[in-house]
Amino acid sequence: DTAVSQTPKYLVTQMGNDKSIKCEQNLGHDTMYWYKQDSKKFLKIMFSYNNKELIINETVPNRFSPKSPDKAHLNLHINSLELGDSAVYFCASSLTPYSNQPQHFGDGTRLSIL
Amino acid sequence: GENVEQHPSTLSVQEGDSAVIKCTYSDSASNYFPWYKQELGKGPQLIIDIRSNVGEKKDQRIAVTLNKTAKHFSLHITETQPEDSAVYFCAARLPNFGNEKLTFGTGTRLTIIP
């Protein structure tokens, strides 16, 4: 069984469109994250939610809006897509937001903007 | 904030030989240091981690060492096998009352030559 699952795996769309990526974890974790991995493989955190509440927002443009309907789900909606949004987006989860808790990653969503 | 540097960016090793990847971090308060392996088309997978109260940890062919004074930690893979080929990331976590985040290194592409 997949612990952290993201959909879709690939997303190709035109500049200016709005799109969403969904994430679900079945690990019973309280904390979920969104990361962006650029073309040089650099991984950077975007958001973190604990029990449906936002706890980290890394100065991401407000075109990006995460939503957590419950602690097992964290979705990412992106408005007015730009070329620079092309990247692989990873969802992750951990038991708690505190130190020493391993994070488990999904397999990513590759977003390509035409 | 934390800053993590990782070297080398690419590493080629003959099968059966050892591989070493090194990371340095900037904030002495960081207390958790995981290593992730990312295979093509997959998300990062935790392979080993170390906490700041431990100097070394080993799991079969993989070991991690931590030098808190020098603020660096290293991943050691012995008896390398073709399936060890992947991109490896180090990370450091700074305690921040539940708003903690992982800061990743820039990755090392490890290639095992058969």
Side-chain angles (χ1 to χ4, degrees):
Chain A
D1 286 342
T2 305
V4 181
S5 58
Q6 299 177 225
T7 54
K9 190 169 176 64
Y10 300 98
L11 189 50
V12 181
T13 190
Q14 302 272 4
M15 205 164 52
N17 283 351
D18 304 338
K19 289 293 177 187
S20 292
I21 307 172
K22 295 188 176 183
C23 179
E24 176 181 4
Q25 54 94 3
N26 62 5
L27 296 167
H29 289 171
D30 283 350
T31 311
M32 295 184 73
Y33 310 82
W34 277 111
Y35 285 85
K36 180 179 180 180
Q37 186 173 48
D38 62 22
S39 58
K40 293 184 178 177
K41 293 284 192 181
F42 185 61
L43 261 171
K44 191 173 187 330
I45 190 165
M46 300 171 68
F47 300 103
S48 172
Y49 270 72
N50 185 54
N51 230 336
K52 304 190 295 176
E53 291 195 12
L54 180 69
I55 55 173
I56 293 175
N57 181 342
E58 281 291 295
T59 59
V60 179
N62 57 15
R63 297 184 296 106
F64 290 78
S65 51
K67 282 190 172 50
S68 183
D70 55 62
K71 69 177 190 176
H73 295 83
L74 180 62
N75 304 322
L76 184 65
H77 188 76
I78 315 170
N79 290 328
S80 304
L81 281 157
E82 300 176 357
L83 289 175
D85 298 333
S86 293
V88 181
Y89 291 84
F90 287 100
C91 177
S93 73
S94 63
L95 187 61
T96 74
Y98 298 103
S99 284
N100 307 338
Q101 293 295 333
Q103 291 185 15
H104 301 261
F105 284 77
D107 282 340
T109 295
R110 183 174 293 277
L111 175 62
S112 300
I113 310 301
L114 303 177
Chain B
E2 178 62 277
N3 183 48
V4 177
E5 294 189 0
Q6 181 172 348
H7 300 279
S9 57
T10 59
L11 179 61
S12 293
V13 172
Q14 208 71 36
E15 184 179 350
D17 288 350
S18 296
V20 181
I21 302 170
K22 298 181 179 182
C23 288
T24 60
Y25 58 100
S26 59
D27 198 318
S28 56
S30 286
N31 63 0
Y32 174 66
F33 308 92
W35 285 89
Y36 285 85
K37 176 184 181 182
Q38 186 176 19
E39 296 174 329
L40 196 62
K42 297 284 187 182
Q45 182 182 13
L46 180 72
I47 54 171
I48 195 166
D49 56 12
I50 192 167
R51 286 150 176 79
S52 57
N53 59 348
V54 175
E56 185 174 356
K57 184 176 178 181
K58 192 173 179 183
D59 183 2
Q60 298 182 347
R61 296 187 298 109
I62 294 172
V64 56
T65 58
L66 172 64
N67 183 329
K68 284 192 296 183
T69 305
K71 290 188 283 188
H72 67 70
F73 55 114
S74 301
L75 178 71
H76 304 253
I77 307 174
T78 58
E79 301 171 21
T80 53
Q81 300 168 3
E83 53 265 37
D84 294 330
S85 293
V87 179
Y88 290 81
F89 292 95
C90 63
R93 183 174 244 175
L94 194 57
N96 190 22
F97 308 104
N99 295 333
E100 288 131 22
K101 60 182 183 180
L102 280 177
T103 301
F104 283 84
T106 48
T108 297
R109 184 175 297 278
L110 175 64
T111 302
I112 306 303
I113 305 165

